[in-house]
Amino acid sequence: MHSETESVIAEDQRRVPLHGAEAFEGMRRAGRLAAETLDFIAPYVQPGVSTGRLDELCETFIRDHGATPAPLNYKGFPRATCISVNRVICHGIPSGDKRLQKGDILNIDITVILDGWHGDTSRMFWAGTPNVKARKLCDVTYACLMRAIDVTKPGNTLGDIGHAIQAHAEAHRFAVVRDFCGHGVGEVFHTAPTVLHYGKPGTGLTLRPGMIFTIEPMINGGKPDVKVLPDGWTAVTRDRSLSAQFEHSLGVTEAGCEVFTYSPAGLDKPPYGVAPKTA
């Protein structure tokens, strides 16, 4: 007799698309453009710039390269990107009134639609030099993502991915946000599977070649608890601690996985060492 969990896994297994070469090529192109957008915006992330201006620059870059920003008007979201500063965990709404302060940390989340395919990725950025704990939080969050990518291969499970993230974050006394997760992506923005950022090894959906999804751990400097602000989008830490996130889109291959959203310029984690530009 199957447990309820086993039934859910079996149902997810049937619903998860298995993509072929054409889809992987489409995701490579879309993923590269999303990553190039983050490379482009890096020099503009400076104290004094508004998140609204950063959003405008990203949208122009995306459209100039023949793509559209997926978040704009998605379920009513009002801007082309999500920009989440300090205690904002995710879905921060860019604003001309929100200017970066020296020492701020922020996540810029980009999703482009290019030739029907969604390239989805995010990185942390620093406005000036943040404090030691903020830098450590960013470093640990990036390491969580990379450890998860390392275990993404056929025969492993989504539980292996979640465990890799949870174990590393908690070893550094940080907390994994459980209210948000990674997701299947491709010609649809959000689809199966659901990719939790915590879990037990050997549990959950078994990975198979052709699966395409995001891994996007959100790690808090304090407790994992989340509050959504009255705008219905902006998620913040309840205890006002800092939060960090990195995200890649990837596809499971016969030998492991292919990450579609690595930075072409090698700017995968801060500090980026780029010459500042005026926005």
Side-chain angles (χ1 to χ4, degrees), residues 85-275:
V85 183
N86 292 333
R87 68 178 288 234
V88 180
I89 296 168
C90 61
H91 304 156
I93 300 174
S95 167
D97 296 329
K98 175 62 179 178
R99 294 191 176 273
L100 299 180
Q101 304 298 312
K102 186 176 181 180
D104 282 349
I105 65 172
L106 60 149
N107 178 273
I108 301 181
D109 192 340
I110 299 290
T111 307
V112 306
I113 307 173
L114 180 65
D115 299 328
W117 297 96
H118 290 71
D120 190 0
T121 187
S122 79
R123 292 179 213 156
M124 295 302 295
F125 293 83
W126 299 345
T129 303
N131 63 37
V132 171
K133 184 172 183 179
R135 295 199 304 270
K136 180 180 179 182
L137 177 63
C138 292
D139 287 343
V140 169
T141 304
Y142 181 77
C144 285
L145 174 59
M146 300 314 294
R147 285 169 179 255
I149 288 171
D150 285 344
V151 300
T152 302
K153 61 187 67 175
N156 282 358
T157 67
L158 289 179
D160 294 326
I161 290 174
H163 176 74
I165 293 166
Q166 182 181 4
H168 191 66
E170 293 179 353
H172 290 274
R173 299 187 177 181
F174 294 139
V176 178
V177 173
R178 300 190 177 212
D179 296 64
F180 302 99
C181 58
H183 54 87
V185 67
E187 291 177 293
V188 178
F189 195 173
H190 297 96
T191 186
T194 296
V195 182
L196 302 179
H197 302 125
Y198 59 93
K200 296 180 180 179
T203 65
L205 192 70
T206 299
L207 303 180
R208 298 168 61 190
M211 290 181 175
I212 293 177
F213 51 81
T214 71
I215 304 175
E216 45 187 293
M218 287 150 269
I219 308 299
N220 291 351
K223 296 181 179 180
D225 305 293
V226 173
K227 178 173 73 172
V228 177
L229 298 186
D231 61 30
W233 286 102
T234 307
V236 300
T237 57
R238 280 193 174 273
D239 62 5
R240 305 189 70 84
S241 63
L242 294 176
S243 188
Q245 178 188 22
F246 287 87
E247 174 184 13
H248 278 310
S249 296
L250 53 86
V252 181
T253 65
E254 295 290 344
C257 70
E258 177 181 351
V259 177
F260 303 122
T261 49
Y262 281 137
S263 163
L267 307 179
D268 285 301
K269 64 183 289 289
Y272 296 116
V274 294

